[in-house]
Amino acid sequence: MSSARLVICALVCLAGLSPSRAWADTPGSGTRHLVVPFDSTSGEPRVYWLTEASAVLLADELTALGVPAVSRDDRLLAFERLRVPAAVTLSHATVIRLAQVLGAPRVVVGTYDLRGETLTVRARTIRLDDGQISAEVVEQGPLLGLFDIYARLAHRLVPGASGGGVRPEPNYTPAAFEQYIKGLLADTATSKIAFLNDAIRLAPAFQRPRLALWAVHHDQDDERKALAVVQAVPADHSLSRRARFLAAISLLGLGRLDEAFERLSELNRASPDPALLNNLGIVQLRRGAGAAGGRAATFFSDAAKLDRADTDVLFNLGYASWLERDIASAIPWLREAVRRNPTDAEAHFVLGAALLAAGNGGEGARERELARRLSSELADLDKQNAAVPRGLERVKLDVDVPSSLRVDTAIASAGQREQRELAAFHLDAGRRFFASGRDTDAVTELRRAVYLDPYQGEAHLLLGRLFLRGGRALDAVDELKISLWSTESVTTRLALAEAYVAARDEMAARAELQTVLSRDPQNEDASRLLDSLTQ
């Protein structure tokens, strides 16, 4: 059974509805649609690219009708953030989860079939709130007329849409569009470049392949070629602003900082955007203190005012403040960054350095320890007692994303929720294995829990106890310290005292026991252990 039909069956069972029930969508409501790649029912290998092209074309047509639709880039970003492989065939559970994360209450699923040169496309729209599904819409025509087929399909899926939206750019020849999609799907950079160049050759006025080609060269750190390809986008084209933004990123990568600053400033004067302000801050950070144009932290602060939910901007603001030796400003921004993304190793590392510099040794050590656990590279830096390195700033690659359509916030919050739920699952499994004496399994589960939720005090406590009964006293001490830094507890302090005893550090054990008894004078275990130390 195809993924589309699995989605439909799952939701119909959930809502108890018939798949033939139809309903009218409300195009003016701003309801966001997620179009997932269509399934092939004919298995014709020469049109494999239509699986992805169906999603891209239909999303474009919905956008042109004024119906918000998730872009391909946002769809792939969601896959990356949710750690789901961007497979062609999606399970119904993955589709539903993806739509929830992207804040898309409507999902469009479909199939395509090619017989000879005749293309038949079928689609349904699903409402996730109640599981209702539309009647199947079918459009047919010659393969060379695929643009018209998907335009008609969009009109029938949202019949009341009045238009007013903006298509990314006019559709060009089907042959060029085919090469463009193949370039997006290709597995290797060499293949991507070949397909995208073919698309440009077949339709020189088709600019989306140039932007895709920029991404390939940028990923290969070949900023000269990346810059050249987007500079070819005409100034009067609808994608010109994005092309100029990408060109500024390449200039930044080439170290042509004055030109990058001028390009970004010009774009920001025309229409302010958090991505522009963020990248202007990075230019100033790389230019160095006292550079003309303003402080890096000021640009990051202005970006944060426009988008307080972007954890990259929050990190950049805290990081820039640290580099400018404004520790008092760095700490709260870095705290906010790790609050929103607890597994951000670099934010933990810089926050630890800032806290240590501010005289907060205990919390600073905790943050550095968490950074070591989350990143082997940072662990090596910490072992060398190295300073916070330069070059950690985070460049934004997307511009002019409307706040109502930004997926980063939704993905981040969903990811945090999912991380907490998964961490709780591993913690519960760790508790069970701990209680049953399956120590190796318990350590595995608890390490997964603390990776997902570094501030989980109970997980660190159980790990400390496991190491203690396994004869690893020093490892136990480390874990129990982190547990205390995460959650102050008499129980944890008593366990730490026992670990110190096992490590033959009676002075430290005595200090912990005295702290326990100052808080709980009737604690018999602490009194008994302290008495044994004085004998």
Side-chain angles (χ1 to χ4, degrees), residues 386-404:
V388 173
R390 284 191 170 271
L392 298 182
E393 62 273 11
R394 298 167 184 178
V395 177
K396 303 304 290 184
L397 301 180
D398 293 302
V399 69
D400 296 334
V401 181
S403 58
S404 61

Side-chain angles (χ1 to χ4, degrees), residues 93-283:
T94 299
V95 170
I96 293 170
R97 178 62 177 147
L98 189 64
Q100 290 171 337
V101 165
L102 289 167
R106 304 288 188 271
V107 177
V108 180
V109 296
T111 61
Y112 64 91
D113 181 270
L114 184 67
R115 303 289 174 180
E117 294 301 314
T118 300
L119 177 65
T120 302
V121 184
R122 305 173 185 273
R124 294 181 187 269
T125 304
I126 306 168
R127 294 199 331 203
L128 294 192
D129 53 357
D130 57 13
Q132 290 189 36
I133 59 176
S134 72
E136 187 173 69
V137 175
V138 182
E139 285 293 337
Q140 189 177 76
L143 178 60
L144 290 177
L146 80 161
F147 296 143
D148 291 335
I149 293 173
Y150 285 94
R152 295 195 302 269
L153 197 68
H155 277 281
R156 292 184 61 191
L157 287 171
V158 193
S162 57
V166 179
R167 185 182 283 104
E169 67 175 323
N171 290 324
Y172 290 94
T173 66
F177 189 79
E178 175 183 343
Q179 297 305 301
Y180 166 61
I181 296 295
K182 286 180 175 178
L184 297 180
L185 295 175
D187 292 330
T188 67
T190 301
S191 297
K192 286 178 182 291
I193 292 169
F195 282 124
L196 293 170
N197 278 325
D198 275 348
I200 295 169
R201 178 181 56 80
L202 291 168
F206 190 17
Q207 304 303 330
R208 290 167 83 179
R210 298 187 196 278
L211 303 190
L213 196 52
W214 177 91
V216 179
H217 291 314
H218 174 73
D219 289 344
Q220 293 186 310
D221 294 323
D222 192 343
E223 297 296 354
R224 293 188 185 279
K225 288 184 179 178
L227 178 60
V229 76
V230 289
Q231 283 183 326
V233 177
D236 59 352
H237 194 275
S238 61
L239 294 176
S240 171
R241 179 172 162 91
R242 173 154 177 78
R244 288 155 65 203
F245 172 72
L246 298 178
I249 294 173
S250 290
L251 290 169
L252 179 63
L254 291 168
R256 294 161 61 177
L257 301 180
D258 291 348
E259 294 174 77
F261 187 85
E262 186 56 39
R263 295 272 186 104
L264 293 168
S265 297
E266 181 183 344
L267 292 169
N268 196 59
R269 283 193 295 269
S271 179
D273 185 83
L276 293 168
L277 290 162
N278 178 83
N279 290 0
L280 278 164
I282 290 174
V283 172

Side-chain angles (χ1 to χ4, degrees), residues 1-22:
M1 184 181 290
S2 71
S3 63
R5 296 184 186 280
L6 282 171
V7 174
I8 293 169
C9 291
L11 291 174
V12 167
C13 292
L14 177 67
L17 299 175
S18 165
S20 63
R21 176 172 176 172

Side-chain angles (χ1 to χ4, degrees), residues 392-518:
L392 298 182
E393 62 273 11
R394 298 167 184 178
V395 177
K396 303 304 290 184
L397 301 180
D398 293 302
V399 69
D400 296 334
V401 181
S403 58
S404 61
L405 296 184
R406 284 192 188 115
V407 299
D408 277 359
T409 303
I411 292 172
S413 61
Q416 290 169 29
R417 182 170 60 254
E418 193 169 72
Q419 282 179 197
R420 288 193 298 270
E421 292 170 355
L422 191 56
F425 170 82
H426 289 302
L427 174 59
D428 186 58
R431 287 193 200 102
R432 293 196 305 271
F433 288 139
F434 176 86
S436 62
R438 294 171 58 181
D439 289 10
T440 300
D441 292 331
V443 168
T444 299
E445 294 297 328
L446 292 168
R447 279 180 168 159
R448 289 171 178 164
V450 298
Y451 177 82
L452 293 164
D453 186 358
Y455 295 110
Q456 176 49 260
E458 184 185 355
H460 288 294
L461 171 60
L462 289 174
L463 277 169
R465 285 179 164 166
L466 284 164
F467 291 148
L468 187 57
R469 76 185 185 190
R472 297 165 58 184
L474 294 178
D475 289 334
V477 167
D478 288 343
E479 289 293 341
L480 293 166
K481 280 182 178 179
I482 297 173
S483 180
L484 269 180
W485 292 333
S486 302
T487 307
E488 176 63 41
S489 162
V490 165
T491 300
T492 305
R493 285 198 177 276
L494 182 57
L496 180 56
E498 293 172 355
Y500 277 132
V501 171
R504 301 182 184 280
D505 189 345
E506 293 189 2
M507 183 178 296
R510 186 174 288 105
E512 292 299 333
L513 291 169
Q514 288 170 345
T515 300
V516 169
L517 290 170
S518 69

